Amino acid sequence: MRTHTKETQMSLTPEKALEILKEGNQRFMNNLKANRNLLQQVNDTSTGQFPFATILSCIDSRTSAELIFDQGLGDVFSIRIAGNILNEDILGSMEFATKIVGTKIIVVLGHTRCGAIVGACNHVELGNLTTLLNKIQPAIFNEKETTENRNGSNAEFVNNVTNINVRLTIERIRRESPIIAELETNGQIKIIGGVYNVESGQVSFFED
Ligand SMILES: [Zn+2]
């Protein structure tokens, strides 16, 4: 698998970038890792990086973007924070990754059995974690389907909140970053949500 160059990055469309991620996740699920010489990629990227994707995912030890999409060095900007929440520093990182460096796609990736989502559903309060989990409350508020057992032990409720959290995060990216919104409107980038299943290894993208 070749390291991305300025030419390969520039030639990619947002749709092709999504295809590359889908193909990588298929390889991961089928245990068919691409043949990649990471030490060679250290050399290839020593004077510059031309990644094609920016992925916001959880810190969960099972959800490393490079592993689950079978990517190498210099391929993706990986932003990771518990519950894949958004703040202005993360938005700034995304603006750098898209406007300055030229990645073609932003993926907001939730995952099943997310401890942060479960914690938020249970209204856990613990030190600085309290502030972080509060950022997931809008997703809980917007979950209108579940009338009983609105807590972390209700798997369906947790899954719904996980999906809504991803969708609300994407809405906030568009609303709070005019820079990114313009790139998307002009067709220079795509923003897409998805959920990683920790039981199957599969990423399901929200294609709507
Ligand atoms: Zn998580």
Side-chain angles (χ1 to χ4, degrees), residues 33-145:
K33 259 193 319 204
N35 189 16
R36 202 177 258 121
N37 183 336
L38 289 177
L39 202 56
Q40 177 62 41
Q41 291 200 309
V42 171
N43 198 42
D44 294 342
T45 55
S46 62
T47 55
Q49 59 168 344
F50 304 96
F52 71 95
T54 301
I55 301 167
L56 171 61
S57 62
C58 185
I59 58 167
D60 193 288
S61 63
R62 300 163 291 186
T63 63
S64 164
E66 288 85 346
L67 292 177
I68 66 179
F69 289 113
D70 187 31
Q71 299 299 311
L73 286 185
D75 291 334
V76 299
F77 278 118
S78 184
I79 306 171
R80 299 184 62 185
I81 187 161
N84 40 274
I85 56 110
L86 194 70
N87 63 28
E88 63 180 7
D89 300 318
I90 292 170
L91 263 182
S93 300
M94 288 177 171
E95 288 171 352
F96 171 74
T98 52
K99 183 76 177 179
I100 307 296
V101 184
T103 56
K104 304 294 182 184
I105 188 167
I106 293 175
V107 180
V108 178
L109 190 66
H111 70 97
T112 60
R113 297 180 181 271
C114 179
I117 300 289
V118 169
C121 289
N122 286 332
H123 302 279
V124 166
E125 295 192 4
L126 175 75
N128 291 288
L129 188 56
T130 306
T131 312
L132 189 152
L133 294 185
N134 278 341
K135 294 189 164 73
I136 300 172
Q137 287 303 321
I140 294 172
F141 178 78
N142 278 279
E143 206 282 350
K144 308 290 189 191
E145 277 179 40

